[in-house]
Amino acid sequence: MQLSPELKEKMTSKQSKFKHVNYSWDDSVASGMSPIESLIYRSNILGDDQRITNTGGGNTSAKAMEIDPLTGEEVEVMWVKGSGGDLRTSKPENFSSLYMDKLIALQDIYNNADEVGVKTQIEDDMVAMYRHATFNLNPRATSIDTPLHAYIPYKHVDHMHPNSVIAVAASKNSKELTQKIWGDELIWTEWQRPGFDLGLQLQSICEKHPDAKGAILAGHGVINWANDNKECYELSLDIIEKAARYIEEHDKGENTFGGQKYLTLSAEERDDVLAEVLPFLRGLVSGEAKLIGTVQHDENILRFINSNDAPRLADLGTSCPDHFLRTKIKPLYVAWNPKTDSIETLKTMLADGVEQYKADYKAYYEACKRDNSPEVRASSPSICLIPGVGMVAWGKNKSESRVTAEFYNCAVEVMRGSEAIDEYVALPQQEAFDIEYWLLEEAKLQRMPKEAPLARDIVVVIGAGDGIGKETAFRVAKEGAHVVCADLRLDAAQKTADELAAIYGQGIGVAGSGISGCGPAIAQEVNITDRDSVQKMFKQVAIAYGGIDKVIVTAGVFLAPGQSGMSDDQQFDVSFAVNVKGGYIVGTEANKLWTAQNLKGALVLTTSVNAAVSKKGSLAYDTSKAAANHLVRELAVELSPLVNVNGLAPATVVKGSTMFPRDRVIASLTKYNVDFSESDSDDELRDKLAMFYAQRTLTKQPITPADQAEAAYLMVSGQLSKTTGQIISVDGGLHEAFLR
């Protein structure tokens, strides 16, 4: 929409009031919206600024009159962000809707319990009662923050997690700082776990302080209110701006975090360290379940990691519940000197550090667990801090690890702000544990959809630009894989990666530096006959995701006699270089990562049924594929027991194959006396040849790239985990290729 000069001037004037947040409200967009549309608009523009709230963090609400579908009468309804939603991307289906009169009536049930208060059984039991207040059969699960919004007697409520405000809330003298920065606008409250009782505390604050506009939740964040949608939005921005300006006035400059202790490596040195260390580290942290990595090495995170105060602050842990639910109670920090210590020293430090971290985490669990606490979860660190290099975040998938990295970035900014204006304090361990292992949080985890079979896998598909390779990339992506689309032609690989991103999205996280800021699919250029090219590709894959799990090679070459003006000797050289040596180079280079990780892997090489069938006119191709068959068997022995190696042997896959250009198809149709017309399209010609080939098989069906992709997926899915060194033919049933 084109903005008028007057509107542009008005918005510019508003933005000039704010230096540390973006002012995005547009009256022309907001006018005429329904209550839920207005709430979504406010939520989206709040969530779009990471300085206002983190991904998935914070919540918003609006109370409005709606028509009751049962009575046809007007009733007051509260719309509030539901459990697990993200403000930046929220849509109507992300919001719960509840009758206000029923929410108010829940207070009687709560107050009549034998024991009330924070962490009591009745407080947890109330969450299940919210379903009884659902308006219009809304299926969205309600958030544990619902009462915080319901019992504030204002139409619009924002609960945000801004770094600048949390910095005040997580300071030793946060109460005094709250008064100093906001005066009587905001009322300071002691740390209390979110829940029904905190909602009642906020109701009491509104009654006792009728002129207050919000409350600082110690160690947590801010909640503010207004009776107008736009006013509530602007109030949120104003609160954050005041905190950020106060921190800026007290910024310590070069002495931030006690000044710098370590120097940052050059980009080339850093990438060399990451490429060697990340697969090793991935193996260390994936003992309980495989994890996907995200690397962050921007100036802000390195200022913290390289500082004198980093070990002390890292050990304190995070404060905001949203942060440590992702990052765990604290990160793993290793005191590696990037200028004097070797990479082997770093590996030793990481191995020792992860082992100690796991022991400490289990001790934390044993010391803090309740009688009804869920079983201990994975004990490996989610965040690893390496001086001179950066932060490595781990998660069950790429999106999760990017969110984890984002949250620790937020935690660092909180610590920076707190240390600038006062002294940073983290939550007591017991309080942190009671959030991390809260039964309601456990219930949220249990509601998560089941993971796809390859959700924790990094699958490299070489030859992904078209044909079988492209089909295979789509097939493994369908099962949740993180897909590296590699091809000799980068543009073709990028097209495949872009198509996958359009289907599956980039995820919700916003962190990650360079290629590590990617989503579930990336493109890489590779020449499998060149070891340096293959090494470069795997280096980028390691930096992007932390390592590899499966490698599927579909790249190959068929050179007909006389093609490209090559001599027979040249055809032999090229055929063996691509079809045999290429698989050898890829397999041996991939094995370096598999060995470093010490995690199970799978390698699939594409051969051909021609390897078992002698015929005239394809001498170089057929003999190279026969050699490739034996390469599969040799690599199965060499890479055992860690890696399963199997071969995929297609036959006459005409559709979508670069091995069947128009001239070859016409030559084959002519050779076999199949009727065709020069006016036929490429697809029509290929269909005719495919049907001819199908008649030579036992099943009488054309063979497609999708058929091959299905077999490739089967071989990396884990369903054939005890099969290695085998060649699986997908040829429709060519009896000439039967094993003898």
Side-chain angles (χ1 to χ4, degrees):
M1 184 188 68
Q2 191 72 28
L3 298 179
S4 67
E6 295 80 9
L7 184 56
K8 284 184 179 179
E9 183 179 354
K10 187 176 180 180
M11 290 184 69
T12 302
S13 175
K14 283 283 188 180
Q15 181 61 61
S16 65
K17 292 176 54 180
F18 302 105
K19 179 180 177 182
H20 299 279
V21 288
N22 295 328
Y23 184 90
S24 301
W25 189 276
D26 184 341
D27 285 327
S28 66
V29 174
S31 63
M33 288 182 169
S34 68
I36 181 60
E37 290 171 340
S38 298
L39 174 60
I40 291 167
Y41 176 66
R42 183 173 99 231
S43 303
N44 290 165
I45 59 176
L46 285 169
D48 196 49
D49 189 341
Q50 295 299 300
R51 295 166 298 183
I52 293 176
T53 199
N54 48 270
T55 296
N59 34 63
T60 54
S61 68
K63 303 179 183 80
M65 302 305 292
E66 302 280 0
I67 300 298
D68 192 324
L70 293 176
T71 66
E73 298 178 357
E74 276 197 336
V75 291
E76 188 176 22
V77 172
M78 181 178 73
W79 294 90
V80 60
K81 192 194 84 169
S83 177
D86 173 53
L87 291 178
R88 182 174 74 251
T89 57
S90 281
K91 299 175 182 178
E93 57 265 29
N94 298 116
F95 286 81
S96 303
S97 52
L98 304 105
Y99 291 95
M100 272 304 299
D101 58 350
K102 293 184 179 181
L103 286 173
I104 297 298
L106 291 179
Q107 292 189 22
D108 290 337
I109 297 175
Y110 178 80
N111 290 325
N112 286 328
D114 292 336
E115 183 183 14
V116 299
V118 65
K119 299 184 185 180
T120 57
Q121 186 60 49
I122 185 61
E123 187 182 41
D124 282 2
D125 290 345
M126 295 308 296
V127 175
M129 297 299 294
Y130 303 153
R131 292 198 297 269
H132 296 286
T134 299
F135 170 78
N136 202 20
L137 302 179
N138 189 338
R140 187 67 184 185
T142 52
S143 165
I144 56 175
D145 286 336
T146 296
L148 279 62
H149 294 259
Y151 301 142
I152 290 173
Y154 288 82
K155 298 295 184 185
H156 300 275
V157 178
D158 289 341
H159 169 39
M160 298 292 112
H161 295 155
N163 296 333
S164 58
V165 178
I166 300 175
V168 177
S171 292
K172 184 177 181 179
N173 297 294
S174 64
K175 184 175 183 179
E176 292 80 357
L177 287 167
T178 297
Q179 178 64 34
K180 188 171 186 178
I181 297 170
W182 295 286
D184 294 333
E185 274 189 325
L186 300 185
I187 307 302
W188 180 87
T189 62
E190 291 198 27
W191 157 259
Q192 182 172 324
R193 189 174 73 177
F196 201 90
D197 195 74
L198 183 57
L200 296 180
Q201 297 294 334
L202 291 170
Q203 178 178 260
S204 177
I205 284 174
C206 291
E207 293 169 354
K208 294 177 181 177
H209 305 275
D211 295 328
K213 298 179 180 180
I216 289 293
L217 310 176
H220 187 168
V222 61
I223 190 164
N224 51 273
W225 47 79
N227 278 322
D228 178 76
N229 193 25
K230 181 179 178 181
E231 182 184 342
C232 192
Y233 170 76
E234 292 182 343
L235 176 60
S236 293
L237 267 59
D238 184 65
I239 289 168
I240 299 165
E241 182 71 19
K242 286 178 179 177
R245 287 181 184 247
Y246 186 82
I247 291 169
E248 184 181 48
E249 291 167 3
H250 295 80
D251 184 74
K252 293 185 177 180
E254 293 183 358
N255 291 320
T256 296
F257 298 128
Q260 298 295 283
K261 181 178 181 179
Y262 299 110
L263 297 175
T264 297
L265 293 174
S266 68
E268 183 178 357
E269 291 173 320
R270 178 198 66 227
D271 285 353
D272 286 343
V273 172
L274 286 170
E276 186 166 346
V277 167
L278 281 171
F280 174 77
L281 180 55
R282 183 176 185 236
L284 293 176
V285 300
S286 296
E288 291 124 327
K290 280 189 294 190
L291 298 173
I292 307 296
T294 291
V295 177
Q296 187 88 25
H297 49 66
D298 64 291
E299 184 179 341
N300 287 344
I301 194 68
L302 281 165
R303 176 178 59 180
F304 172 70
I305 298 171
N306 292 345
S307 72
N308 285 293
D309 289 345
R312 170 180 65 84
L313 292 170
D315 193 58
L316 287 176
T318 53
S319 59
C320 180
D322 259 31
H323 295 172
F324 63 71
L325 282 172
R326 302 273 189 166
T327 66
K328 285 199 168 73
I329 184 68
K330 64 180 181 180
L332 169 63
Y333 173 91
V334 291
W336 181 68
N337 190 322
K339 292 300 183 182
T340 60
D341 292 339
S342 67
I343 293 179
E344 286 305 312
T345 299
L346 175 56
K347 287 183 177 180
T348 300
M349 287 182 168
L350 287 169
D352 292 344
V354 170
E355 184 178 0
Q356 186 61 52
Y357 188 99
K358 289 181 176 180
D360 291 346
Y361 185 85
K362 289 171 183 174
Y364 151 75
Y365 175 84
E366 290 298 326
C368 299
K369 70 178 181 180
R370 309 284 186 177
D371 291 341
N372 60 350
S373 293
E375 291 296 313
V376 64
R377 302 192 187 112
S379 58
S380 296
S382 297
I383 297 288
C384 301
L385 307 176
I386 306 173
V389 176
M391 168 178 64
V392 185
W394 300 99
K396 64 182 180 181
N397 53 43
K398 186 60 176 176
S399 182
E400 182 87 10
S401 70
R402 289 178 67 197
V403 171
T404 300
E406 175 194 332
F407 280 22
Y408 201 73
N409 285 331
C410 292
V412 167
E413 280 302 291
V414 168
M415 290 185 280
R416 182 187 69 82
S418 292
E419 291 285 301
I421 60 178
D422 189 26
E423 178 185 340
Y424 172 74
V425 291
L427 284 181
Q429 281 202 351
Q430 188 64 59
E431 290 296 325
F433 180 90
D434 289 344
I435 289 284
E436 185 178 359
Y437 282 89
W438 193 1
L439 292 178
L440 296 181
E441 289 292 343
E442 177 69 12
K444 186 189 296 186
L445 293 176
Q446 296 301 321
R447 287 197 302 269
M448 298 290 287
K450 183 181 178 181
E451 290 184 22
L454 299 183
R456 294 174 181 262
D457 284 339
I458 302 139
V459 181
V460 181
V461 181
I462 300 178
D466 55 28
I468 296 173
K470 183 169 186 173
E471 200 72 43
T472 300
F474 274 77
R475 183 65 186 88
V476 296
K478 183 180 178 181
E479 303 300 333
H482 303 80
V483 187
V484 179
C485 304
D487 202 283
L488 184 62
R489 300 152 302 147
L490 181 59
D491 58 339
Q494 189 63 60
K495 186 172 184 293
T496 301
D498 290 345
E499 289 174 9
L500 290 175
I503 295 171
Y504 300 104
Q506 291 293 101
I508 62 171
V510 297
S513 298
I515 195 172
S516 200
C518 64
I522 61 170
Q524 286 291 295
E525 181 178 6
V526 67
N527 177 357
I528 63 174
T529 68
D530 180 351
R531 189 173 290 274
D532 287 343
S533 175
V534 175
Q535 287 176 344
K536 180 181 177 182
M537 176 198 69
F538 279 127
K539 180 177 182 177
Q540 290 301 300
V541 175
I543 294 172
Y545 295 114
I548 62 170
D549 294 291
K550 330 288 188 187
V551 177
I552 303 171
V553 182
T554 67
V557 63
F558 174 90
L559 300 173
Q563 185 176 340
S564 303
M566 290 184 181
S567 67
D568 291 345
D569 287 352
Q570 289 172 324
Q571 286 191 7
F572 247 81
D573 289 342
V574 173
S575 296
F576 273 77
V578 176
N579 298 338
V580 186
K581 186 180 178 182
Y584 161 73
I585 290 174
V586 170
T588 51
E589 287 300 322
N591 193 45
K592 294 177 182 177
L593 279 73
W594 281 316
T595 301
Q597 293 175 155
N598 196 32
L599 300 173
K600 285 285 188 180
L603 172 64
V604 176
L605 300 181
T606 302
T607 67
S608 171
V609 297
N610 285 30
V613 180
S614 303
K615 68 182 194 305
K616 192 172 182 178
S618 52
L619 182 60
Y621 179 77
D622 294 356
T623 52
S624 69
K625 289 299 186 178
N629 273 2
H630 200 60
L631 176 65
V632 168
R633 293 185 279 269
E634 292 287 350
L635 286 175
V637 174
E638 291 287 336
L639 276 53
S640 67
L642 202 59
V643 181
N644 287 33
V645 184
N646 290 292
L648 170 64
T652 59
V653 181
V654 180
K655 180 181 178 181
S657 173
T658 57
M659 291 186 182
F660 282 89
R662 184 181 180 91
D663 57 349
R664 183 187 174 192
V665 174
I666 289 175
S668 296
L669 291 170
T670 302
K671 175 182 176 181
Y672 298 121
N673 296 317
V674 178
D675 289 337
F676 70 94
S677 170
E678 290 288 349
S679 63
D680 287 342
S681 68
D682 290 352
D683 286 341
E684 288 172 331
L685 291 171
R686 289 194 180 102
D687 287 344
K688 289 179 179 181
L689 184 58
M691 286 307 299
F692 169 77
Y693 283 143
Q695 298 313 305
R696 303 192 304 184
T697 71
L698 298 177
T699 62
K700 308 300 182 185
Q701 299 179 81
I703 311 303
T704 68
D707 297 325
Q708 309 302 324
E710 194 64 37
Y713 164 65
L714 176 64
M715 284 186 271
V716 302
S717 67
Q719 298 175 75
L720 300 181
S721 62
K722 296 179 182 179
T723 299
T724 189
Q726 301 301 310
I727 310 298
I728 296 181
S729 296
V730 184
D731 57 9
L734 285 171
H735 66 84
E736 299 93 336
F738 285 177
L739 288 177
R740 294 168 176 81

